[in-house]
Amino acid sequence: MPLAHLDRPFDYLVPQALAADAVPGVRVKVRFAGQLVDGWLLERAERSDHPRLAYLDRVVSPVPVLAPEVARLARVVADRYAGSLADVLRLAVPPRHARVEKDVLAHAAASEETAAASEETSAASGEPTALAEPDGTAPTAIGKAAGTGPDGNAAAGAESGDRPALPEPGGWRDYPAGPALLRALTAGRPPRAVWSALPGEDWAARYATAVAATVAGGRGALVVVADGRDLDRLDAALTATLGPGRHVCLSAALGPARRYRAFLAARRAEAPVVIGTRAAMFAPVDRLGLVAIWDDGDDLHAEPRAPYPHAREVLLTRAQLADAAALVGGYARTSEAQLLVETGWAREVVADRAVLRARAPAVAPTGDDPQLARDPGAATARLPSLAWAAAREALRAELPVLVQVPRRGYLPSVACADCRTPARCPHCAGPLALPSAGGAPACRWCGRVAAAYACPECGGRRLRASVTGARRTAEELGRAFPGVPVRTSGREEVLADIPAGAGLVISTPGAEPVAAGGYGAVLLLDTWAMLTRADLRAGEEALRRWSAAAALARPAAAGGRVVVVADGALAPVQALLRWDPGWFAARELAERRELGFPPAVRMASVTGSPAAVADLLAQTRLPDGAELLGPVPADGERERMLVRVPRARAAALAEALHMAAGVRSARKAADPVRLQVDPLALF
């Protein structure tokens, strides 16, 4: 039950007819308050402290889909985020797909019958029987399935003849601590690392090597990435390293049937490794030995449904509970990852400066005011002369050029050409945008066309661009570099890779395709759009986006150049110039400590109507040292209050907020309140 005051287990009697199927982890139906509701069987016990119990109504499925370690993790995550166990289990276990479940059970029964028949044949002949695998690979002796432990589950190759060969360090040799990390994983120890990847690094191959080391040590691994494109890269790298059939992919994009089939494969320990997007952070993994996350600063790792857990925090919690290794990697570094390093919970894995200089492209800043007078082509392309020259040289060398633009569309933001007042919709006050060169301005919120728009300040009817989108940039660059192929990568179509040769790629952040051999030039335009956002993480996010694009450039010795259109004195730009994400993360964390912002402290936001927020806070016994900040306006008629506590009081704050929410739900309070612990956005 998702209601906060019912967030506890309830006891039921198990009828004799259901005793065999009623095992911990199965889905059940029970009577609760006169209604038949869904439930999870968490534990079987001989007795109960309650004198009168209702009977279990039925077992929905005999498959124990909720693993004991996942149930324990879900409780810990719910407590950390002031949520309910029901909400976390909804995220942890995908909805049941009866047909898939029936197919899996039928296949398992057939496999058991085949194994039993083979054992009988082997016993009669006195010799082990070898059966060819379905894919025609070498036969496996029947008796105990290769790669299984004493309970019949896959043991990641431990105590079996199919143990993978110990992986070669490969690219991890570029990092002084890299080989030691692999040795610890192979030995079954739980190292914890924060990895700053080099420019041009094949991060998927490095993760595959770390996973292979864990598997060679007899344990399983779980890796979470931000999106489907990263998942495809990691999938290919693991297939090349471990071989086919040794890992399971989990993603909400798979669809209900395929996702549930993949989940059951993970639950049945059919492979030692599980990879996926945010949906995989609770995936069951047999003998978990490594949890890893790539690019933990990506906001796609934050769950948008209650209780709003972040994949990084869930994985680090799993590492703590399972005594497993943890690997947090990226081209940039978040303040949260820096905190792990500074507290000693994890060690940083970074390359020497000599290796970095050999691998990094040449990075140069330029001011926001284009120096266009010397080159009419640069004026046409809306580029500073330095960026224009870098693009021209790369194209002459038959190398591709990447142009990162922070907004998609044509002109996603326009203003009055006379007084520069932002153009707003007359109906809803939303921002107006131009969809194309000949299109009429339309509202980005309500979609209404404002063909007869007149500025309310000066009456002007001419519009100018406030922000130039990817499509408009592609149009301008196509005119500036005639005869050069122009490709766009963004929301409508995201390119995975592009061929070698001269060409222009206009991309929004996060959609940059990989170029064969690397880009000759990477241009980072309109940087102010990211740097000036009213967000605590604006600088951190800008550096993360720039680093991801700059990492695709060729090394400086091979002609790779990166031009960032921003003031070189800014801290994020300095971090990019020196390619030193650790320095920027340490600086950012120090400033947040001084100002009292996460992750140096723990914060929770309470959002709802003013009366509902005041009611919940009145019911909350805040821990010592708690500070109330606000209220500030939220969307619509709602307001938002922030509660700040030292990190040592984080658990007490979450418990207090959950108990207050329970009081309101027990009273059946009409106005809902949204509770978020460690929200990504504070303002």
Side-chain angles (χ1 to χ4, degrees):
M1 307 296 291
L3 298 174
H5 71 288
L6 299 178
D7 185 28
R8 64 182 186 275
F10 293 85
D11 293 351
Y12 285 82
L13 289 170
V14 179
Q16 187 62 36
L18 300 179
D21 290 339
V23 298
V26 299
R27 291 181 168 98
V28 296
K29 290 282 188 179
V30 296
R31 292 283 174 184
F32 191 90
Q35 296 182 343
L36 196 63
V37 299
D38 296 317
W40 296 98
L41 200 159
L42 298 177
E43 184 183 3
R44 289 287 297 270
E46 291 292 335
R47 62 185 58 85
S48 171
D49 295 333
H50 300 278
R52 298 180 60 186
L53 298 178
Y55 277 96
L56 198 68
D57 188 82
R58 68 176 182 268
V59 175
V60 175
S61 166
V63 180
V65 290
L66 179 59
E69 63 273 14
V70 175
R72 180 188 176 199
L73 171 69
R75 181 69 268 173
V76 173
V77 171
D79 293 342
R80 184 201 186 285
Y81 285 96
S84 67
L85 179 64
D87 283 336
V88 179
L89 291 179
R90 173 172 52 87
L91 303 175
V93 183
R96 179 174 179 252
H97 198 285
R99 178 176 56 80
V100 170
E101 201 170 77
K102 182 179 178 181
D103 293 344
V104 170
L105 290 175
H107 183 269
S111 299
E112 290 175 2
E113 291 178 3
T114 302
S118 300
E119 288 179 357
E120 291 178 2
T121 303
S122 176
S125 63
E127 296 179 358
T129 301
L131 298 180
E133 298 293 339
D135 59 358
T137 56
T140 301
I142 300 297
K144 174 183 280 190
T148 60
D151 57 357
N153 290 332
E159 301 178 0
S160 69
D162 67 340
R163 180 195 292 263
L166 298 183
E168 290 293 329
W172 284 110
R173 289 195 182 95
D174 292 332
Y175 308 87
L181 171 66
L182 296 185
R183 288 194 298 270
L185 292 174
T186 305
R189 298 196 301 271
R192 295 160 182 171
V194 173
W195 174 43
S196 297
L198 285 166
E201 182 65 89
D202 187 352
W203 63 266
R206 300 292 82 75
Y207 270 48
T209 305
V211 167
T214 306
V215 172
R219 302 185 73 179
L222 170 62
V223 186
V224 174
V225 296
D227 55 35
R229 202 167 56 129
D230 287 346
L231 183 60
D232 291 341
R233 289 187 63 184
L234 185 59
D235 181 25
L238 279 172
T239 302
T241 303
L242 295 179
R246 299 288 290 164
H247 70 277
V248 173
C249 291
L250 267 178
S251 170
L254 294 175
R258 291 179 60 197
R259 180 187 177 191
Y260 194 58
R261 188 181 299 277
F263 175 83
L264 290 181
R267 179 67 182 96
R268 294 169 60 83
E270 294 177 5
V273 179
V274 177
I275 64 173
T277 54
R278 183 182 66 235
M281 58 183 168
F282 291 101
V285 178
D286 190 50
R287 302 188 184 187
L288 182 65
L290 170 68
V291 296
I293 186 170
W294 171 253
D295 196 13
D296 65 302
D298 196 312
D299 56 8
L300 291 177
H301 286 302
E303 174 59 52
R305 294 174 293 176
Y308 318 104
H310 194 284
R312 177 190 56 243
E313 304 306 320
V314 172
L315 293 179
L316 296 181
T317 301
R318 294 193 74 165
Q320 195 82 14
L321 295 176
D323 193 25
L327 177 58
V328 179
Y331 292 118
R333 185 183 297 180
T334 60
S335 299
E336 287 79 6
Q338 180 65 23
L339 184 64
L340 298 177
V341 173
E342 293 189 9
T343 57
W345 195 90
R347 288 186 59 187
E348 64 177 0
V349 177
V350 297
D352 290 333
R353 298 305 296 180
V355 176
L356 175 61
R357 283 192 293 269
R359 295 277 296 273
V363 184
T366 180
D368 284 324
D369 296 326
Q371 303 170 6
L372 304 176
R374 293 176 292 175
D375 200 327
T380 304
R382 191 177 53 87
L383 291 177
S385 58
L386 183 62
W388 166 261
R392 183 174 54 188
E393 290 174 10
L395 294 173
R396 285 177 177 174
E398 293 296 317
L399 297 175
V401 175
L402 173 65
V403 182
Q404 187 192 75
V405 182
R407 302 286 178 85
R408 63 180 184 269
Y410 191 75
L411 292 180
S413 179
V414 291
C416 174
D418 298 325
C419 68
R420 309 299 172 89
T421 300
R424 315 292 294 187
C425 175
H427 299 278
C428 70
L432 293 183
L434 280 175
S436 62
C443 179
R444 287 167 47 198
W445 290 359
C446 69
R448 288 187 172 93
V449 176
Y453 174 81
C455 176
E457 297 295 328
C458 68
R461 295 185 175 274
R462 296 184 303 118
L463 296 174
R464 68 184 300 273
S466 296
V467 176
T468 303
R471 283 196 289 116
R472 172 63 179 267
T473 303
E475 182 181 289
E476 294 174 346
L477 290 174
R479 290 196 300 264
F481 297 100
V484 176
V486 180
R487 301 177 179 88
T488 58
S489 182
R491 182 176 182 178
E492 290 78 11
E493 181 184 9
V494 177
L495 304 176
D497 49 51
I498 63 166
L504 288 163
V505 179
I506 317 302
S507 172
T508 52
E512 300 90 353
V514 177
Y519 288 96
V522 174
L523 313 181
L524 307 174
L525 304 185
D526 296 338
T527 54
W528 58 269
M530 286 190 283
L531 289 172
T532 58
R533 291 187 307 127
D535 193 299
L536 177 67
R537 302 176 186 271
E540 182 180 285
E541 178 69 5
L543 179 59
R544 188 183 73 83
R545 298 287 195 179
W546 298 342
S547 299
L552 301 177
R554 299 161 68 92
R561 298 185 65 186
V562 175
V563 177
V564 52
V565 183
D567 184 356
L570 297 174
V573 182
Q574 279 291 310
L576 183 67
L577 296 179
R578 294 151 46 183
W579 201 276
D580 194 350
W583 168 80
F584 180 78
R587 184 180 188 273
E588 189 80 1
L589 181 58
E591 291 181 352
R592 294 189 194 183
R593 279 199 183 100
E594 185 176 350
L595 297 173
F597 283 130
V601 298
R602 186 63 56 84
M603 273 194 175
S605 70
V606 183
T607 307
S609 67
V613 170
D615 179 40
L616 183 135
L617 292 176
Q619 302 293 334
T620 305
R621 293 186 176 181
L622 294 174
D624 294 339
E627 297 179 75
L628 289 176
L629 308 176
V632 295
D635 53 299
E637 300 296 323
R638 302 191 304 168
E639 69 177 23
R640 192 181 199 194
M641 288 285 290
L642 295 174
V643 186
R644 177 168 60 189
V645 297
R647 291 186 64 85
R649 303 282 185 177
L653 173 63
E655 181 182 7
L657 291 173
H658 186 57
M659 291 180 63
V663 172
R664 296 191 78 247
S665 66
R667 292 200 325 241
K668 299 182 180 180
D671 293 340
V673 174
R674 178 176 180 174
L675 290 177
Q676 280 186 278
V677 176
D678 289 342
L680 279 184
L682 294 178
F683 310 111

